[in-house]
Amino acid sequence: METVSPEEAARLRRTLHERGLRMTPQRQLVLDAVRELEHATPEQICQRVQRVTPTVNITTVYRTLELLEKLRLVRHTHLGHGAPSYSVEEHEHVHLVCHNCGQVDEVPCDLLDDLASRLSRGRGFQLDASHLALSGLCRQCSSSEESV
């Protein structure tokens, strides 16, 4: 399992210590799993962690993800129906979710800069495009529907 750099681990330990918490092996395993999987549901993260430590349960994973999100180390996105998908905080992009085949693609957040500017000017709304999933049809499903 891929681990965080020594600098990141030290920063995480320091952040946890400042909040009266400590870096447990389970917390480290959950963070490592999120980094390795890039986008994953809590169940997928739990399965990955259980390869190393079978005694870690889904409740521990959910609690750890909640803590890591409060610490701004991970974030979640809803890619459709079902459980949220978690990724590391610096992993910022817009998700394009095909509601036909379920394929998930990624595009840079700056593709929505014009929309973000219009929302800011017109409504005073500050868009966080890095926490966004757009639903539609992927190229393959779109072309399949056109040929029908």
Side-chain angles (χ1 to χ4, degrees):
M1 201 178 271
E2 180 182 314
T3 60
V4 297
S5 71
E7 297 82 23
E8 289 176 294
R11 182 177 70 87
L12 178 56
R13 277 192 301 277
R14 206 170 34 254
T15 302
L16 288 168
H17 183 72
E18 288 166 1
R19 293 177 181 229
L21 303 167
R22 63 186 178 88
M23 174 53 89
T24 64
Q26 293 89 345
R27 289 175 180 157
Q28 186 67 58
L29 286 168
V30 169
L31 183 58
D32 290 346
V34 172
R35 287 183 181 282
E36 186 177 320
L37 294 168
E38 295 185 1
H39 294 103
T41 65
E43 290 77 13
Q44 292 167 324
I45 295 165
C46 188
Q47 288 172 356
R48 183 62 59 104
V49 169
Q50 286 176 340
R51 289 182 185 173
V52 177
T53 307
T55 58
V56 172
N57 62 40
I58 192 69
T59 303
T60 300
V61 171
Y62 271 105
R63 287 183 183 146
T64 302
L65 288 169
E66 185 178 317
L67 172 66
L68 294 174
E69 191 160 23
K70 284 180 184 174
L71 296 174
R72 298 179 163 255
L73 295 168
V74 302
R75 64 176 2 167
H76 77 275
T77 303
H78 293 276
L79 299 178
H81 304 297
S85 178
Y86 285 82
S87 61
V88 290
E89 180 67 22
E90 66 267 10
H91 196 79
E92 295 186 351
H93 48 257
V94 176
H95 297 95
L96 305 177
V97 183
C98 180
H99 56 76
N100 188 38
C101 71
Q103 176 184 327
V104 178
D105 199 359
E106 302 170 358
V107 295
C109 293
D110 62 9
L111 282 178
L112 296 178
D113 284 352
D114 288 343
L115 173 62
S117 295
R118 289 180 68 186
L119 289 171
S120 180
R121 283 192 314 273
R123 305 225 177 227
F125 184 80
Q126 301 303 308
L127 178 66
D128 176 6
S130 66
H131 198 70
L132 187 63
L134 300 174
S135 180
L137 290 175
C138 68
R139 179 174 298 168
Q140 185 174 345
C141 291
S142 182
S143 63
S144 295
E145 282 198 1
E146 290 173 5
S147 62
V148 173

